[in-house]
Amino acid sequence: MDPGEPWADGRSCYRSCPAQARRVGRQQRVKGVRELVGTVQTLWRYPVKSMLGDSPQRLDVEPRGIRGDRAYALWDHASGRVASAKNPRLWQDLLGYRARFREEPAPSAPLPPVLIGPRQGGGAAELCSSDNDVGAFFSELFGRRVSLLDTPPDGASLDQYWPPVEGRAFQDETNALELPAGTFFDACPIHAITTATLERLRQLEPQLDFAVERFRPNLLIRTPEGAEGFVEGAWDGACLQIGEQLVLRVDGGCPRCVVTTLAQGPLGEDLEILRATARHNGVVAGLRLSVVTPGPVAVGDPVRLLRPDQA
């Protein structure tokens, strides 16, 4: 097999151009024009939903997404919903905690326990997801009964708050978001953003701090010199090949939410971050991605855009 033509298990990268893929047995061989669009600069994984995570040099991507990403979430017994910073009136303080695996997750093995501690440390002991008092700690912190879950209940959902941002359908309103079945993801298994997009936002609004951490991506893609603007907008419907094996389908741009405006890590609260993305790019910054061909991803891996072969 040509290493530049990845195998996709049963799915074509080109939904609008199925003739570009040749079926061999149960697999598809994706043929197309490959364009180098960047390299992986930084990786993130968030073991507990809405908490800060870790930034390894290498991650494994499985069919459901990055191994261990959003593996856990707090469950609010009163509302019957997943706790998420998308509803900051209740759960903003989740962003003050960091979660990390006690050991690196291994393939074909149960996930190891997660250690949870305050972002700033201060000598506080970390909680372990296997401890019985984790739920009690966060129940006391938030003043409502919560439990730490590693399996999403059927029909799991969360509350999302829409702040007053011009151009959005909802203004100062909270509604429900149903999560993809069997996951704690909001909508997509993997999220990426490019340095070109962040730089364009900084050029347009230099007084604002568009730190990449506000956007909570899994991948930061460093675009080549000369790539300018919201480059991801031209990638919709294509695929990204990362390294030699991993292939991700671009399912569209990522509409931003209130989480980008919240205090997290060293970053202060700033609603103008979201208003700026609305003014300049229809509130979109970054990409929603799904897995076509699983595989590893590492810092420094080349990122190639796979387009249909028009020859």
Side-chain angles (χ1 to χ4, degrees), residues 222-242:
R222 172 164 290 282
T223 46
E225 185 176 352
E228 298 180 348
F230 302 107
V231 297
E232 302 100 315
W235 300 352
D236 190 18
C239 283
L240 298 179
Q241 179 187 349
I242 304 177

Side-chain angles (χ1 to χ4, degrees), residues 3 29 54 66 124 128 150 153 181 205 214 308:
R29 190 177 187 178
D54 56 1
I66 290 171
C128 183
D150 61 2
E205 305 271 357
R214 286 192 180 276

Side-chain angles (χ1 to χ4, degrees), residues 35-76:
E35 174 189 353
L36 183 66
V37 294
T39 57
V40 176
Q41 177 169 315
T42 316
L43 297 168
W44 287 273
R45 173 181 57 197
Y46 308 93
V48 179
K49 187 173 186 64
S50 285
M51 292 185 185
L52 305 183
D54 56 1
S55 184
Q57 293 293 297
R58 182 187 182 279
L59 291 168
D60 289 304
V61 181
E62 301 172 327
R64 87 176 275 283
I66 290 171
R67 185 182 302 146
D69 192 40
R70 275 78 171 192
Y72 293 83
L74 289 177
W75 177 259
D76 178 31

Side-chain angles (χ1 to χ4, degrees), residues 252-280:
C254 186
R256 309 316 314 196
C257 69
V258 69
V259 175
T260 61
T261 76
L262 302 178
Q264 47 192 292
L267 304 170
E269 187 168 337
D270 193 346
L271 184 57
E272 288 305 309
I273 296 293
L274 186 56
R275 287 175 172 159
T277 61
R279 283 192 293 269
H280 301 298

Side-chain angles (χ1 to χ4, degrees), residues 18-306:
Q20 300 299 332
R22 178 168 60 87
R23 183 175 297 277
V24 181
R26 297 181 59 189
Q27 297 177 316
Q28 291 181 357
R29 190 177 187 178
V30 179
K31 299 178 66 177
V33 177
R34 295 182 299 138
E35 174 189 353
L36 183 66
V37 294
T39 57
V40 176
Q41 177 169 315
T42 316
L43 297 168
W44 287 273
R45 173 181 57 197
Y46 308 93
V48 179
K49 187 173 186 64
S50 285
M51 292 185 185
L52 305 183
D54 56 1
S55 184
Q57 293 293 297
R58 182 187 182 279
L59 291 168
D60 289 304
V61 181
E62 301 172 327
R64 87 176 275 283
I66 290 171
R67 185 182 302 146
D69 192 40
R70 275 78 171 192
Y72 293 83
L74 289 177
W75 177 259
D76 178 31
H77 290 264
S79 65
R81 298 198 192 281
V82 170
S84 166
K86 282 180 175 286
N87 183 13
R89 291 166 175 169
L90 287 180
W91 308 114
Q92 179 170 350
D93 287 349
L94 285 171
L95 291 166
Y97 287 81
R98 186 179 301 278
R100 63 184 181 90
F101 286 102
R102 192 169 63 188
E103 300 95 24
E104 188 62 24
S108 304
L111 289 174
V114 168
L115 301 177
I116 302 170
R119 178 191 67 82
Q120 295 180 329
E126 290 179 300
L127 299 166
C128 183
S129 59
S130 60
D131 294 343
N132 294 328
D133 58 352
V134 174
F137 174 86
F138 284 105
S139 295
E140 182 176 358
L141 177 70
F142 291 108
R144 44 200 301 133
R145 184 183 169 216
V146 297
S147 298
L148 185 66
L149 302 185
D150 61 2
T151 303
D154 291 339
S157 63
L158 57 80
D159 286 325
Q160 54 182 353
Y161 170 68
W162 302 96
V165 173
E166 187 175 351
R168 301 307 305 262
F170 304 107
Q171 299 286 318
D172 194 22
E173 186 174 335
T174 301
N175 53 32
L177 173 66
E178 187 169 345
L179 308 183
T183 80
F184 289 122
F185 298 129
D186 292 341
C188 61
I190 297 178
H191 166 48
I193 197 167
T194 66
T195 55
T197 284
L198 295 171
E199 183 57 30
R200 183 56 179 155
L201 288 168
R202 293 175 186 129
Q203 292 169 353
L204 292 166
E205 305 271 357
Q207 76 282 9
L208 299 178
D209 183 3
F210 292 98
V212 62
E213 290 82 4
R214 286 192 180 276
F215 299 89
R216 292 175 62 82
N218 297 115
L219 293 86
L220 175 62
I221 299 172
R222 172 164 290 282
T223 46
E225 185 176 352
E228 298 180 348
F230 302 107
V231 297
E232 302 100 315
W235 300 352
D236 190 18
C239 283
L240 298 179
Q241 179 187 349
I242 304 177
E244 294 300 320
Q245 183 177 351
L246 177 64
V247 179
L248 304 176
R249 184 173 52 238
V250 179
D251 293 326
C254 186
R256 309 316 314 196
C257 69
V258 69
V259 175
T260 61
T261 76
L262 302 178
Q264 47 192 292
L267 304 170
E269 187 168 337
D270 193 346
L271 184 57
E272 288 305 309
I273 296 293
L274 186 56
R275 287 175 172 159
T277 61
R279 283 192 293 269
H280 301 298
N281 201 38
V283 87
V284 170
L287 296 167
R288 289 175 169 177
L289 301 164
S290 55
V291 180
V292 176
T293 304
V297 56
V299 170
D301 277 351
V303 180
R304 296 180 174 90
L305 185 67
L306 302 179

